Amino acid sequence: MDLNPTPHERAFREELRAWLASNVPAPYEGSLAEESPALVAYLRAWQRRLYEGGWLGLTWPKEYGGRGLGPVEQSIFMEEMALASAPQVLGLVGIALIGPTIIAHGTEVQKRQYIAPMLAGDKIWCQGYSEPNAGSDLGALTTRAVADGDHFVVNGQKVWTSFAHVADYCFALVRTDPSVAKYKGITCLLIDMKSPGVSTRPLRMMSGDADFSEVFFTDVRVPASQVLGEVNGGWIVGMTALMHERANLGGGAQVALARLVDHLAEAVHTLPRAHGSAAEDPLVRQKIASIWIELEVFRLTAARALSRVGAGGQPGPEGSILKLFYSDLAQRAAQSLMEILGPYGQLTSGPSGNAPYSYLRSRGGTIEGGTSEMLRNTVAQRVLGLPKSY
């Protein structure tokens, strides 16, 4: 594994950094927790600017609007976006997860229909996986799709669906054959969210965010042409998307955590203690050093996973390790920040920055994208070769 950037990678980073310096818009003036139409328009305009600049779908084939680059360039993009404090990409779920999966499993008609609008931000996608009784055990999903001529009729409910309230399409796993083993009777459907019978209900988290929703399907008719992959072959399609989700946890996450640790290191110099500042407290210094060491471990593990994919491999179990490690580390870092800040940790400005938000939002990290409990099982079985736990 060579961590030194090539001349091409160095030039790519410099080009991207210069472009971001000239194009990142002014911060959104409203509340980021409100998910208002104005915020959606702001984020959609930013995605369009990125698309026109050629910065989205970097690893996608050129014939589908990408640049045919590798995972290293994608990681550099994520790092530089975080370093520039650029707004999030509204259609990130589609670009990071669903687009590559459609390219891998879709028909040529599906690719031509969905890929370009997805990159441009004209069509936003959500991912219909979790259900009230099928979260970590995705194979237990019960949303049904019954064949009716050249359509499927869908009934059921999804939950914790990111950006569902603004999405145009849903990449949904549904049960099409309840008579076979649970992982074999699942199909992936591409569902128009404007179809009759589709409704959403936002879920507001304790952090104030409301970008998750419940989605309800009531006699929703979906053309059979909207099956992605094979009927009853949706488990493989769904796992492809999950691999891309975890493989995309890299540069941006590192920068976000590094900023939190940097803020922590700066804040301790302004916080009083009985005999000076918190920076002079050996326990505080030890806690910050421990978090920084863990962050470095995360960075090197991410680099190893990136090297494997860059060498021509597919995203592997390293993604599960990264997601598990990152979500736990983010919680520990936010917890440490609150402990060190003490009463200042209740404030949303000043020496605390916005520590309450970081702390509250970090709690969801060990649930979303696969719970830590489920990921530990994945690592035990697929990395360590241990038997299943029943």
Side-chain angles (χ1 to χ4, degrees):
M1 182 177 68
D2 186 358
L3 298 181
N4 295 309
T6 65
H8 163 75
E9 291 163 0
R10 190 178 295 111
F12 177 84
R13 185 184 292 276
E14 292 172 355
E15 178 191 3
L16 173 59
R17 185 172 292 179
W19 187 90
L20 289 171
S22 301
N23 286 275
V24 170
Y28 180 70
E29 295 182 356
S31 170
L32 294 176
E34 291 303 320
E35 301 295 331
S36 65
L39 174 59
V40 173
Y42 170 85
L43 295 176
R44 196 184 293 270
W46 169 235
Q47 181 169 336
R48 166 64 71 167
R49 189 181 302 181
L50 283 167
Y51 170 68
E52 292 175 347
W55 299 110
L56 295 180
L58 294 174
T59 62
W60 295 13
K62 293 181 180 180
E63 59 266 33
Y64 300 119
R67 290 175 59 173
L69 300 176
V72 173
E73 288 86 353
Q74 178 64 28
S75 182
I76 291 172
F77 170 78
M78 294 164 66
E79 286 183 22
E80 292 299 322
M81 284 278 285
L83 287 168
S85 298
Q88 67 176 324
V89 177
L90 180 63
L92 183 62
V93 172
I95 295 172
L97 283 68
I98 300 171
T101 306
I102 292 177
I103 290 173
H105 296 283
T107 65
E108 196 61 31
V109 172
Q110 289 171 338
K111 295 173 186 177
R112 298 296 178 187
Q113 179 179 355
Y114 295 124
I115 295 300
M118 184 185 296
L119 281 180
D122 295 332
K123 299 297 181 182
I124 305 302
W125 286 73
C126 63
Q127 180 187 27
Y129 274 25
S130 295
E131 297 181 3
N133 294 307
S136 296
D137 184 10
L138 184 57
L141 65 86
T142 59
T143 295
R144 292 285 303 276
V146 178
D148 182 20
D150 59 356
H151 283 71
F152 285 93
V153 179
V154 181
N155 284 278
Q157 177 188 356
K158 298 293 181 178
V159 72
W160 308 120
T161 309
S162 300
F163 305 111
H165 61 298
V166 297
D168 300 287
Y169 290 97
C170 180
F171 174 95
L173 295 184
V174 298
R175 186 160 303 285
T176 44
D177 189 350
S179 66
V180 298
K182 61 182 183 180
Y183 298 111
K184 295 182 178 180
I186 293 173
T187 298
C188 181
L189 292 179
L190 308 178
I191 302 177
D192 187 339
M193 291 290 284
K194 305 300 188 295
S195 300
V198 179
S199 61
T200 63
R201 184 167 63 194
L203 296 168
R204 187 169 297 278
M205 297 184 291
M206 62 182 178
S207 62
D209 293 321
D211 50 10
F212 289 128
S213 291
E214 295 177 285
V215 181
F216 301 89
F217 301 100
T218 305
D219 294 331
V220 178
R221 296 185 64 81
V222 181
S225 61
Q226 298 305 92
V227 171
L228 183 62
E230 301 293 332
V231 174
N232 296 326
W235 185 254
I236 294 175
V237 177
M239 291 305 100
T240 300
L242 276 181
M243 285 193 297
H244 282 288
E245 178 180 24
R246 292 165 191 163
N248 273 279
L249 183 63
Q254 296 172 40
V255 171
L257 260 182
R259 282 187 162 176
L260 182 60
V261 177
D262 287 343
H263 174 68
L264 188 56
E266 293 171 3
V268 296
H269 290 282
T270 65
L271 297 173
R273 287 293 191 269
H275 303 289
S277 71
E280 299 172 41
D281 185 332
L283 294 178
V284 169
R285 297 171 68 89
Q286 185 181 50
K287 186 168 290 189
I288 295 175
S290 176
I291 295 172
W292 185 261
I293 290 169
E294 289 187 88
L295 177 59
E296 186 67 4
V297 171
F298 174 78
R299 184 183 72 83
L300 293 173
T301 304
R304 183 177 64 184
L306 196 63
S307 296
R308 170 177 172 167
V309 177
Q314 292 295 318
E318 292 92 343
S320 294
I321 297 173
L322 284 171
K323 196 276 176 182
L324 175 63
F325 190 86
Y326 170 79
S327 56
D328 284 344
L329 176 56
Q331 286 188 2
R332 290 195 296 274
Q335 176 78 30
S336 296
L337 178 59
M338 294 293 282
E339 290 173 355
I340 293 171
L341 288 171
Y344 293 98
Q346 301 176 65
L347 305 177
T348 58
S349 61
S352 70
N354 194 2
Y357 175 83
S358 298
Y359 173 72
L360 294 173
R361 183 61 185 85
S362 72
R363 311 318 294 176
T366 50
I367 300 173
E368 60 195 359
T371 66
S372 292
E373 292 78 8
M374 182 271 290
L375 290 174
R376 288 188 179 95
N377 282 336
T378 299
V379 172
Q381 295 168 24
R382 300 186 185 178
V383 179
L384 302 177
L386 298 176
K388 289 186 176 182
S389 175
Y390 294 98

